[in-house]
Amino acid sequence: MKHLTCGNDLEISLVPLRKRMSLCGTESPLRLESLLKRNSEMRRQLANESNSLCTQMTASRLVMYWLFVQVLELRHIDDLDSPAVQKVLKQAESRYQAASRTYQTAVRSDALLANLK
């Protein structure tokens, strides 16, 4: 079976690639690779070995919601003006913003704990 590589250590076989493309609502393997690469880059940027487990988990949640918003927009690109789609996108973006605030709070908490030591 042939494999595509994306980033440093992400290897994707062709069968799961097709499944991922359909889940993401895209027919373009390049668009999917772009999403996966950006997802991986965000995880690396937010990951810090000195972060607590809580901060690492909130970072993972933040990246997951970012990807969720991107996938929703791709899947409904033709009917973004629909009130139902706008409602779902607004809810997803609200979750993403909440995850961002939670991550920032966790980072500040880690900094405060580091100063106490």
Side-chain angles (χ1 to χ4, degrees):
M1 178 179 285
K2 294 183 179 180
H3 290 84
L4 300 174
T5 57
C6 173
N8 295 338
D9 55 347
L10 185 59
E11 189 175 274
I12 308 166
S13 68
L14 291 178
V15 174
L17 177 65
R18 288 191 188 102
K19 288 180 183 177
R20 289 179 186 191
M21 284 173 29
S22 67
L23 284 173
C24 290
T26 180
E27 298 296 321
S28 168
L30 292 176
R31 183 175 282 163
L32 177 66
E33 185 176 349
S34 173
L35 279 173
L36 293 175
K37 186 173 183 179
R38 179 68 181 130
N39 187 352
S40 179
E41 288 171 359
M42 285 179 71
R43 285 185 189 278
R44 267 196 303 277
Q45 288 172 353
L46 297 175
N48 186 347
E49 292 189 19
S50 64
N51 286 346
S52 67
L53 179 59
C54 178
T55 304
Q56 292 172 10
M57 290 174 65
T58 58
S60 179
R61 180 174 172 241
L62 176 62
V63 173
M64 179 193 66
Y65 278 122
W66 173 84
L67 184 61
F68 184 63
V69 169
Q70 303 305 311
V71 167
L72 279 176
E73 287 178 349
L74 280 174
R75 294 189 104 189
H76 300 290
I77 199 148
D78 293 332
D79 56 342
L80 287 175
D81 294 331
S82 162
V85 171
Q86 287 181 359
K87 181 180 177 183
V88 171
L89 278 173
K90 186 175 180 179
Q91 290 172 342
E93 288 170 356
S94 175
R95 289 183 190 128
Y96 171 71
Q97 291 169 358
S100 178
R101 289 189 300 271
T102 304
Y103 172 75
Q104 292 168 0
T105 301
V107 168
R108 284 193 301 270
S109 297
D110 280 353
L112 288 172
L113 287 173
N115 288 338
L116 291 176
K117 292 181 180 179

